Structures are given as C-alpha cells and as structure tokens.
Amino acid sequence: MTELKNKIEQLYESNASITEFDIEPIQHELISNLNIGKIRAAEKHNGIWKVNEWVKKGILLMFKYGKLKDWSMENGFTYFDKNTLPVHPFTLEDSVRIVPGGSSVRTGSFIAKGVICMPPMYINIGAYIDENTMIDSHALVGTCAQIGKGVHLSAASQIGGVLEPPGARPVIVEDDVMIGGNCGVYEGVLIRKRAVLGSGVIINSSTRVYDIVNEKILRADNGLPLEIPESAVVIPGARSIHTEFAKENGLSVSTAIIVKYRDEKTDARTAIEQALR
Ligand SMILES: CC(C)(COP(=O)(O)OP(=O)(O)OC[C@H]1O[C@@H](n2cnc3c(N)ncnc32)[C@H](O)[C@@H]1OP(=O)(O)O)[C@@H](O)C(=O)NCCC(=O)NCCS
C-alpha cells in the first residue's frame, strides 16, 4: 500500500492542475481496498486508535475531482453522483442483508458479513462496519466512521462523518456497543466497547459527560475528542447555568450522564433479537 499512499500524498499536496486522468489510477485501488476492508480511515494498534490520514486524503480527492455522472438504470431508477462515487457493489456471497426501500451504501465502505441494513439507512464512503452489526431504519453512518462487531445502531441514530481536516479522528464505535434510538454521535467521539447510549443521547466533542458512579467529569482533552468508557451506560441529562441571567430564567444546557456501568439488567434490555437475524 506504500505506493498508493505515496501517490495520494503527492496528488493531495500538488499545486499543479489535477484532472480526472490523474485520479483514475488511484481511484480503483483506493475504492476496491476500502470495499474489502483492507485499508481503513482509522485503525486500532495496541489499544490506541490511529487515523490513516492518507486514506482520508484519498477520499477527499474522490470528492474534489470526481465529475457528475448519470448512473440511471434501464428500469427507470435514476440517480446522479460523482463518477468516483458509485454505490457499493454487493453479491449474494457477501452475506449482507439489505432490505429494499430507500437505503444506500456508497462505494469505498466496508460492510462485513452478517451486517443487517434496515431501510431507509445510509452508509457513506470510508465507513467500516464490522460483523453482525445492525443498522436500523433512518440511521446514518457518516464518512469514515468506524463501527465494531455486534453493534446496534438503533432507529434514527446518527453517526456523524469526519472527513476534514484529514488528521481528524472519525467517530469510532467499538464492539458490542448499543446506540439507542435518536442518538447522535459527532466530531470524532470514541465509544469504547459494550457501552450503551440510552435513547436520545447527543454527544460531540464539546459535551461534558458526568460520570456519577466514579464522580468524574469527562471532556475532550489534549486535542483528543471525547471518549466514553467501556461498559458505561449513558443517558441524556441537563446541567444548570450559573450566570445571573441564566439563573433568573431557570436555564440549563443539555449534557450526558453516566448513570451506571453495564449489569445483567442492561444486558437483558439491550439483547440482540437473534430471531430477526
Ligand atoms: C439505557 C437503557 C438500555 C436502560 O439500561 P438499564 O441498565 O436497564 O438502566 P435502568 O433502567 O436501570 O436505568 C438506570 C437509571 O437511568 C434512567 N434512565 C435510563 N435510560 C434513560 C433514558 N433514556 N432517559 C432518561 N433516563 C433514563 C432510569 O430512569 C434509571 O434512573 P433511576 O435509577 O433514577 O430510576 C434504556 O433506558 C435505553 O435507553 N434503551 C434504549 C432503547 C432504544 O433506544 N431502543 C431502540 C429501538 S429501535
């Protein structure tokens, strides 16, 4: 992959005028390797997540230099997108269930065996979704998001995309996490394995998370986005604002609260319905 990496870095830094003919040689290699999960926008080494900046730069090149193309099919289905960004190619052997009805999976994303995609849902370029994850209706897996094994992305949960700057960490959701209905996870937040976001939790890198079990406040730190600890059960909360004006008007801002760490009751509430798989 070193050669591909070097070519992408060169093109990305180049001030010369770049055309689709410069992009073509890297397009196939980049997209096909993203499609099979051989390259990823971020990877875990010895417990630490590292961003592969060159992969994100490659994706940015696809957006920037792709030309609008008519991808319409003879059966009357019409759509128009950049020539560098068609839909993901699937075959029956991929063992991915895509229930019909308004879902779309952009090429340059990896969807492992056993993943279930309920309509309508959308998976963007650079996303990596590991085995047996469920993506429920109205869920979004944004650009470069890294989703682990056995994750449940409930209905209307939004996993934000992080493409720029190329060095910025994407949103990462580790194995066996449950993201409840109507949750939103943005700006490179990392959800460690087996954590649970109760319905309606919205977090980004500005959100303060109050861990009432360990009596700690968690925040983004040292340039690293917010991290939710392993097995934490997070619910939506509010904290009061202490300025005179805010006090007079009884104002508060939303926050997130770690109310407990996973126990048998949580496991029972979040158990994956095997019958549906
Ligand atoms: C978090 C969740 C899994 C419950 O886990 P649990 O371990 O059984 O937690 P408990 O029910 O014991 O709740 C612990 C405390 O948090 C509160 N709480 C839990 N979830 C909450 C939520 N989403 N909003 C507000 N409070 C919540 C409970 O009221 C309880 O407070 P209390 O101790 O003062 O009574 C569940 O509340 C939840 O949000 N599930 C997701 C459901 C969902 O979105 N499904 C998707 C369908 S598509």
Side-chain angles (χ1 to χ4, degrees), residues 136-137 152-156 178-183 196-201 233-237 259-270 273:
D136 213 334
S137 304
H152 190 127
L153 294 184
S154 299
M178 156 81 177
I179 306 278
N182 265 310
C183 285
V196 175
L197 298 194
S199 328
V201 170
V233 177
V234 187
I235 63 169
V259 74
K260 63 191 275 192
Y261 282 75
R262 238 183 207 261
D263 57 18
E264 281 173 10
K265 180 164 175 278
T266 325
D267 288 345
R269 291 278 297 276
T270 57
E273 307 84 346

Side-chain angles (χ1 to χ4, degrees), residues 31 34-35 84-89 105-109 123-126:
I31 297 291
L34 281 167
N35 277 339
T84 43
L85 301 166
V87 290
H88 186 106
V105 182
R106 210 174 215 169
T107 196
S109 54
I123 299 173
N124 211 336
I125 190 168

Side-chain angles (χ1 to χ4, degrees), residues 35-223:
N35 277 339
I36 57 169
K38 202 166 168 189
I39 56 176
R40 305 175 57 159
E43 276 169 283
K44 198 175 182 182
H45 290 292
N46 302 325
I48 295 169
W49 282 91
K50 185 179 157 291
V51 179
N52 289 327
E53 204 169 324
W54 68 273
V55 175
K56 294 183 74 190
K57 285 177 177 168
I59 293 172
L60 282 166
L61 288 171
M62 296 302 118
F63 277 102
K64 192 164 177 193
Y65 297 105
K67 291 262 180 298
L68 200 60
K69 177 175 167 173
D70 183 350
W71 290 95
S72 304
M73 293 168 203
E74 279 171 11
N75 63 6
F77 179 78
T78 56
Y79 85 98
F80 310 90
D81 202 354
K82 302 243 172 171
N83 64 331
T84 43
L85 301 166
V87 290
H88 186 106
F90 281 109
T91 65
L92 194 57
E93 284 66 45
D94 293 320
S95 292
V96 174
R97 275 171 60 197
I98 302 187
V99 181
S103 295
S104 190
V105 182
R106 210 174 215 169
T107 196
S109 54
F110 172 69
I111 325 297
K113 283 191 192 311
V115 168
I116 301 179
C117 305
M118 293 303 291
M121 61 94 229
Y122 188 71
I123 299 173
N124 211 336
I125 190 168
Y128 184 105
I129 300 171
D130 219 329
E131 287 170 18
N132 299 323
T133 279
M134 157 74 99
I135 305 162
D136 213 334
S137 304
H138 289 284
L140 163 74
V141 183
T143 323
C144 297
Q146 307 291 299
I147 312 291
K149 293 187 174 62
V151 170
H152 190 127
L153 294 184
S154 299
S157 55
Q158 308 293 302
I159 304 298
V162 181
L163 197 48
E164 285 183 289
R169 187 170 79 187
V171 174
I172 299 167
V173 178
E174 292 190 342
D175 297 350
D176 301 313
V177 164
M178 156 81 177
I179 306 278
N182 265 310
C183 285
V185 185
Y186 306 101
E187 293 186 330
V189 169
L190 166 56
I191 316 278
R192 289 285 183 192
K193 61 183 179 187
R194 290 180 46 75
V196 175
L197 298 194
S199 328
V201 170
I202 310 265
I203 40 179
N204 65 23
S205 267
S206 302
T207 311
R208 289 190 204 171
V209 179
Y210 291 79
D211 181 342
I212 60 170
V213 179
N214 296 309
E215 301 191 346
K216 275 196 216 157
I217 301 173
L218 312 179
R219 312 182 69 155
D221 198 15
N222 282 334

Side-chain angles (χ1 to χ4, degrees), residues 5-15 18:
K5 176 176 185 279
N6 291 342
K7 276 190 234 162
I8 287 173
E9 300 276 12
Q10 265 170 24
L11 280 173
Y12 190 83
E13 302 306 334
S14 167
N15 290 324
I18 294 170

